[in-house]
Amino acid sequence: MTKLTFYGGINEIGGNKVLLEDGGRGLFLDFGFPYKRHKQFYEEYLNPRSGAGLLDPLTMGLLPPLAGLYRDDLVTQSLWERFRDNPLYRELKRVDGVLLTHAHLDHSGYISFLRANIPIYSTAVTAFISKAMQDSGKSALEQQICYFNPTVREHPKGWKQIAWFSESKVPSQQRQFCIYDRNLETLSPDAIRFWESGFWEKTAKQKELISCQLAAHSGCFNLRCFPVDHSVPGACAWGIETNSGWVIYSGDLRLHGKRASLTQKFIEEASALHPRALILEGTNVLREANFTEHEVYENALKAIGNASSLVISDFSPRDVDRLLTFLQIARDTGRKLAILPKDAYLLKTMRLLEPETPDMAQDDNLVIYQDTISKPGNWMLNLCKEYDSKIVLAKDISSAQDKFILCFSFLDINELPSIRPRPGSLYLFSSSEPHDEEQEIDFRRLHNWLEYFGIKSFGLPVESNGEWRIPDEEKGLHASGHACGPDLLKIAREIKPEVLIPVHSENSYFYVEKLSGSGIEVRLPEVGGVMEV
Ligand SMILES: [Zn+2]
């Protein structure tokens, strides 16, 4: 019997952590950051104490209490004493790896806490995007997916409260990623250099690093990796051959994006395996239809067409397809697309693996907006030096506002005092609507900013009677990363597993209702629940 235990992603969107055990072997299907549960207890200025190591996430139910799974530097002998009575407590004897589906933190974030010698299986693009995000992001404990600085427990200046401290003298460690979809010999020297480079290079302890072996898969399970379409490049679904038959795990996917043919191919190939079980996402089960990326292009082009001054476009930072959509619009409207250094870093990283990605250095319509940062990181300084001729500053944009589309998210809006947008400027909102109170507060703030600077918005949800809705005439600026209800049912029916297990959904019951009588048995998992298939 194959056993599945669901430690996250149940009645919530994201935080997927499913343990698959079969014949003494074990694999995790994603190991994500649980945004919903995290927000129940924490906010921007109230976070799990990094100095408390694993204590906070374990106590607050953000991480499952599984001895043997986590980084040695974060575990003390007495830690597990506290959790032995927890119904989820277990000693995990063997974990052969994590099958990571894509580089969104709700699927990858808590890999940061895992033992360094647990290999992470992913596509090359997912591994590289994860590293680019870590290189250019915050150094928080939850973002140490590809490498980390082991902590020490003795404070150099004598702080006594037992805690974990980051100590730069301790040699860093890099996780082992096993790239599944590519022959590693085809990677360019630049790509290898990117993967091997990091902050540890300056320390004398470099030789003590556990180097990341971009190894082929170890052979403990027979696996299949199916590329699929999602709102970040490199996404895949997985197939695992078990003693009960094939178990398929969808990750996040869609059938209406630019790479829909990948998802279609996945459906055909997974179906041919006659799987025992399909673990399927259900983010948008209640949605009847989705806009396509091409509709986003047409609608955004129309909206920008009449703008007489600056255009700001707001979309999810890792959505490279959307970035390319706006790059095309910039070409069509005679503007330049100004992206932030972290987005330029991501594009540069993507190009190491997918040479058809636009080249920052060559593309006349792409420039880098250098934002106002008091302490730019080394990656940022190097990047701006490399693309020196492509840098634009606030004053450049300010003096030629009708020549730019500026890619900002809400959190970059504090650049406006430097840019001073002129009347007639436009804010295009090309992202998803607010999902919780905190996001609603951000949307109110965003409206205040736009009103204060006299910027018109398009596609931005507005509040009426306590509900946030995009005005009807402004819809169609966002293509969701997730398939709609009818597409998800098509995926389920065509793959036709014996058992369907919904995850990553707040409306799993949808599958029970819609698939009754289809010959597919729908089983709803519970948090921490065990299911035999
Ligand atoms: Zn995702």
Side-chain angles (χ1 to χ4, degrees), residues 345-394:
Y345 190 66
L346 183 72
L347 271 193
K348 186 182 167 211
T349 303
M350 287 283 305
R351 228 180 109 71
L352 294 171
L353 298 172
E354 299 190 344
E356 63 278 15
T357 310
D359 182 359
M360 279 300 310
Q362 302 295 329
D363 197 305
D364 288 340
N365 289 90
L366 261 179
V367 292
I368 300 174
Y369 176 79
Q370 207 177 71
D371 43 350
T372 318
I373 287 173
S374 52
K375 274 192 193 154
N378 279 341
W379 69 268
M380 208 184 271
L381 293 168
N382 291 339
L383 181 97
C384 290
K385 204 190 268 173
E386 180 178 349
Y387 297 117
D388 188 50
S389 64
K390 309 290 282 190
I391 303 293
V392 296
L393 303 177

Side-chain angles (χ1 to χ4, degrees), residues 156 234 507:
N507 298 289

Side-chain angles (χ1 to χ4, degrees), residues 246-525:
W246 282 90
V247 174
I248 309 289
Y249 172 51
S250 71
D252 292 351
L253 77 187
R254 62 181 172 190
L255 270 168
H256 60 274
K258 277 185 184 167
R259 281 168 284 204
S261 62
L262 292 179
T263 308
Q264 192 57 51
K265 192 159 172 251
F266 155 63
I267 297 173
E268 285 154 25
E269 293 183 4
S271 154
L273 297 174
H274 304 292
R276 168 68 185 143
L278 169 63
I279 303 170
L280 180 60
E281 73 124 319
T283 315
N284 280 344
V285 282
L286 300 186
R287 191 172 291 180
E288 275 298 313
N290 271 313
F291 292 104
T292 65
E293 196 62 38
H294 188 71
E295 287 171 307
V296 171
Y297 163 76
E298 287 184 333
N299 293 330
L301 182 64
K302 217 186 292 167
I304 292 178
N306 349 332
S308 58
S309 191
L310 181 63
V311 173
I312 299 174
S313 61
D314 176 344
F315 55 88
S316 158
R318 255 76 67 186
D319 193 342
V320 176
D321 287 342
R322 189 64 41 81
L323 195 150
L324 297 181
T325 293
F326 278 101
L327 178 59
Q328 187 54 47
I329 293 175
R331 290 186 187 121
D332 297 344
T333 54
R335 291 175 182 251
K336 287 186 196 298
L337 192 72
I339 61 177
L340 290 167
K342 64 175 186 322
D343 303 324
Y345 190 66
L346 183 72
L347 271 193
K348 186 182 167 211
T349 303
M350 287 283 305
R351 228 180 109 71
L352 294 171
L353 298 172
E354 299 190 344
E356 63 278 15
T357 310
D359 182 359
M360 279 300 310
Q362 302 295 329
D363 197 305
D364 288 340
N365 289 90
L366 261 179
V367 292
I368 300 174
Y369 176 79
Q370 207 177 71
D371 43 350
T372 318
I373 287 173
S374 52
K375 274 192 193 154
N378 279 341
W379 69 268
M380 208 184 271
L381 293 168
N382 291 339
L383 181 97
C384 290
K385 204 190 268 173
E386 180 178 349
Y387 297 117
D388 188 50
S389 64
K390 309 290 282 190
I391 303 293
V392 296
L393 303 177
K395 64 178 169 53
D396 305 319
I397 297 214
S398 191
S399 61
Q401 301 201 6
D402 58 346
K403 295 283 178 283
F404 291 97
I405 297 175
L406 190 53
C407 297
F408 269 4
S409 71
F410 169 57
L411 297 179
D412 307 305
I413 200 87
N414 56 2
E415 285 290 316
L416 291 189
S418 297
I419 296 169
R420 290 185 297 156
R422 281 206 315 266
S425 296
L426 183 66
Y427 192 93
L428 282 188
F429 184 74
S430 179
S431 196
S432 46
E433 292 159 56
H435 295 302
D436 57 43
E437 269 170 63
E438 237 171 277
Q439 289 176 357
E440 288 177 11
I441 294 170
D442 284 348
F443 272 76
R444 279 191 203 107
R445 286 201 185 99
L446 176 56
H447 276 285
N448 291 344
W449 276 91
L450 301 181
E451 203 175 301
Y452 188 80
F453 282 94
I455 301 173
K456 239 180 91 76
S457 70
F458 194 93
L460 187 65
V462 287
E463 191 181 14
S464 111
N465 302 326
E467 260 194 70
W468 288 84
R469 296 198 51 211
I470 299 170
D472 282 343
E473 62 283 9
E474 296 181 16
K475 283 189 172 154
L477 276 198
H478 177 52
S480 168
H482 303 275
C484 58
D487 285 354
L488 288 164
L489 290 176
K490 171 185 153 77
I491 293 169
R493 288 195 181 109
E494 291 185 10
I495 293 181
K496 209 168 188 332
E498 291 171 33
V499 178
L500 182 128
I501 305 159
V503 291
H504 204 280
S505 182
E506 292 182 326
N507 298 289
S508 300
Y509 208 75
F510 171 89
Y511 287 113
V512 179
E513 280 173 2
K514 300 287 180 183
L515 291 175
S516 84
S518 68
I520 300 172
E521 177 196 355
V522 179
R523 285 201 216 158
L524 299 184

Side-chain angles (χ1 to χ4, degrees), residues 196-250:
E196 290 178 348
S197 69
F199 59 85
W200 53 80
E201 284 175 302
K202 289 211 183 82
T203 70
K205 305 265 189 180
Q206 192 188 346
K207 61 182 183 313
E208 290 180 32
L209 275 175
I210 297 171
S211 67
C212 173
Q213 299 149 27
L214 290 158
H217 120 82
S218 64
C220 73
F221 272 97
N222 188 18
L223 300 174
R224 291 283 302 271
C225 172
F226 308 99
V228 295
D229 189 21
H230 183 42
S231 48
V232 63
C236 71
W238 288 98
I240 308 109
E241 190 173 28
T242 71
N243 291 319
S244 307
W246 282 90
V247 174
I248 309 289
Y249 172 51
S250 71

